[in-house]
Amino acid sequence: MKGQVIVSDGKLAQASVFTSLKGLVDGAAPRFRTASEYVEATLRAAILSGRLAGGLALRQEELAEIFGVSRMPVREALRQLEAQALVDFVPHRGAVVTEISADDAADNYAIRLALEPMALSLSIPHLAEPDFVLAADLIAEMDEEADPGRMGELNRRFHLSLYARAGRVKLLLLVEQQLAAADRYLRFHLAAKGREHMSQQDHRAMLKAAGERDVPAAVQVLEGHLRTAASTIAAFFASRG
Ligand code: NI
């Protein structure tokens, strides 16, 4: 995480959260079934639009006051936002708006593009029936999954299932680290664009090519998959200004 200095105490931060949310809060409540959905949706919109800046601390009692609800729905909303990678829980500070940046996302996808095609190429000749079954199961689970937090996890496991037989321990360790870092961008992306933006057709095509031991075809799909994700997230940041 970038070492940005944040006003975490006192009136300034408080005024900032309040001013940012004012206007979004007014009149939004009747559209939601529960208080926690209302808080979650309002905060999600404020974070995705950049109105609540990365690094800003979100205090439960303060939010409860702004939204005119008790602390329980606020806590639940923050937990949901954490699953979407929009909020991080930081020791001694509590919930903090996730710091993500266009540069960090671009870096992450550049590293993945360098490492994953290599891992996939080395792995494909050695993949066995249980690997294909696992990969297919994970695709099926992603089709059913609505929770973006779980979706990120399933996507990571799917990718790893196809790289697992690469036989290069350190390479796979690096791949795993980058996939874990990529998770927040995937979740952020899904929170912004909706779950149908998960590129399941790429996942299916990659599995099919791997099953046919067609290394160039599988690598081509994977590279396209990562490039599309990288440009979508870049476009998202550009649109946010
Ligand atoms: Ni994927």
Side-chain angles (χ1 to χ4, degrees), residues 96-117:
V96 171
V97 177
T98 302
E99 295 200 56
I100 61 169
S101 71
D103 278 350
D104 186 56
D107 228 354
N108 180 256
Y109 282 108
I111 299 169
R112 289 188 61 192
L113 262 166
L115 298 181
E116 290 183 35

Side-chain angles (χ1 to χ4, degrees), residues 112 142 155 158-159 186 198-199 203 206 225-226:
R112 289 188 61 192
M142 280 188 270
N155 178 65
F158 167 77
H159 280 262
L186 174 65
M198 188 74 170
S199 309
H203 291 157
M206 218 166 20
H225 185 61
L226 294 175

Side-chain angles (χ1 to χ4, degrees), residues 5-240:
V5 180
I6 299 134
V7 182
S8 60
D9 294 306
K11 292 283 178 224
L12 191 51
Q14 202 156 344
S16 171
V17 173
F18 187 84
T19 323
S20 304
L21 290 175
K22 197 81 188 116
L24 280 178
V25 172
D26 296 340
R31 289 193 287 123
F32 298 99
R33 260 191 317 120
T34 66
S36 96
E37 279 179 18
Y38 157 51
V39 175
E40 181 195 334
T42 308
L43 289 177
R44 182 170 52 235
I47 294 169
L48 289 174
S49 67
R51 200 185 280 235
L52 285 179
L56 191 65
L58 300 173
R59 280 184 204 74
Q60 291 182 16
E61 63 270 39
E62 193 183 329
L63 292 174
E65 196 185 317
I66 292 170
F67 285 98
V69 299
S70 68
R71 284 180 63 168
M72 192 120 75
V74 169
R75 199 174 307 137
E76 170 60 18
L78 291 174
R79 205 193 61 75
Q80 293 295 332
L81 293 168
E82 185 191 23
Q84 295 158 42
L86 299 178
V87 156
D88 289 319
F89 280 89
V90 178
H92 311 301
R93 295 194 59 214
V96 171
V97 177
T98 302
E99 295 200 56
I100 61 169
S101 71
D103 278 350
D104 186 56
D107 228 354
N108 180 256
Y109 282 108
I111 299 169
R112 289 188 61 192
L113 262 166
L115 298 181
E116 290 183 35
M118 167 77 77
L120 182 62
S121 309
L122 290 168
S123 178
I124 283 178
H126 308 290
L127 287 170
E129 196 49 31
D131 303 314
F132 296 127
V133 170
L134 174 62
D137 284 351
L138 288 164
I139 289 177
E141 272 190 74
M142 280 188 270
D143 278 336
E144 301 301 316
E145 189 57 62
D147 173 9
R150 277 282 295 157
M151 192 75 116
E153 153 93 19
L154 293 170
N155 178 65
R156 187 167 78 236
R157 285 173 55 205
F158 167 77
H159 280 262
L160 286 173
S161 73
L162 293 184
Y163 314 151
R165 306 292 160 205
R168 294 282 180 276
V169 177
K170 288 178 189 164
L171 174 64
L172 285 181
L173 210 59
L174 290 173
V175 166
E176 261 191 271
Q177 281 171 3
Q178 290 307 311
L179 270 167
D183 207 65
R184 68 172 41 206
Y185 289 106
L186 174 65
R187 285 186 279 161
F188 201 94
H189 175 70
L190 293 174
K193 309 274 273 184
R195 66 176 301 278
E196 68 277 9
H197 280 259
M198 188 74 170
S199 309
Q200 284 278 73
Q201 68 275 33
D202 288 349
H203 291 157
R204 288 193 175 84
M206 218 166 20
L207 174 57
K208 182 169 177 286
E212 291 162 357
R213 315 280 175 191
D214 189 341
V215 172
V219 164
Q220 194 182 13
V221 176
L222 174 59
E223 288 178 345
H225 185 61
L226 294 175
R227 287 207 175 92
T228 303
S231 62
T232 315
I233 200 98
F236 167 76
F237 278 109
S239 75
R240 211 167 72 144

